[in-house]
Amino acid sequence: GTTGWTPAQDTAAPNDVVPVSTFTAFNAAFVDIDAAIIPKGAGAVLAAQPNNAVSGGNKRGTNAVDLQTQRITAAAVASGSNSTISGGYQNRATGTYSQVSGGSSHLASGNFTSIGGGSSNIASATYAGVAGGSLNTASGLNSFVGNGTLNVASGDYASINGGNANAGSGFYSHIGGGLSNVVTSFYGDIGGGG
């Protein structure tokens, strides 16, 4: 057996169709016990064994955390050094210290990037972030898209709160929301509308 753990498998309802196997921390002398999974050296923490195929995905990055269990391509993994995928489907975290919280089909390719949720969002520049929505892109340094669809913050330090098909290419530009608004000038701002 494994010291300090009690293995078990539950096949009773609601686990009668898909059983659940567990490891429970155990020591009769203690009421509370922490539980840890500790890789060796620069190893990663994974929810699937890499096999360069869809079922397990490609090798993860050093010190990565990848808890995603579903993908349609082997490349949909946390391959960046110190990158994290907390869950979801078909997400990729390829930048160093990049992070995807959940959702589907995201790409966090810039270093220190973050994507919160939604679907098919891209954070490709250093320190860029997308909170949610779908088909949004934060491609400028320190750029940000909050939500909405088809928004592109390509200027450095540009931000788009939400809306649809807005584009902020000017440095430090801002769009609050609305439809098809475009800001190309430095420090340009559109509150909303379209």
Side-chain angles (χ1 to χ4, degrees), residues 95-99 108-114 123 125-129:
T96 299
Y97 294 102
S98 60
Q99 182 260 337
S109 58
N111 296 336
F112 302 97
T113 53
S114 177
T126 302
Y127 300 114

Side-chain angles (χ1 to χ4, degrees), residues 91 104-107 117-122 133-137:
N91 294 310
S104 67
S105 304
H106 299 305
L107 172 60
S119 65
S120 303
N121 295 309
I122 298 172
S134 64
L135 299 167
N136 296 308
T137 300

Side-chain angles (χ1 to χ4, degrees), residues 47 67 98 111 172 175 189:
L67 304 181
S98 60
N111 296 336
Y172 300 96
I175 298 173
D189 179 78

Side-chain angles (χ1 to χ4, degrees), residues 17-35:
V17 176
V18 180
V20 58
S21 296
T22 63
F23 276 98
T24 302
F26 175 77
N27 186 319
F30 297 93
V31 174
D32 301 312
I33 301 174
D34 293 335

Side-chain angles (χ1 to χ4, degrees), residues 6 81 123 155 186:
T6 301
S81 176
F186 279 35

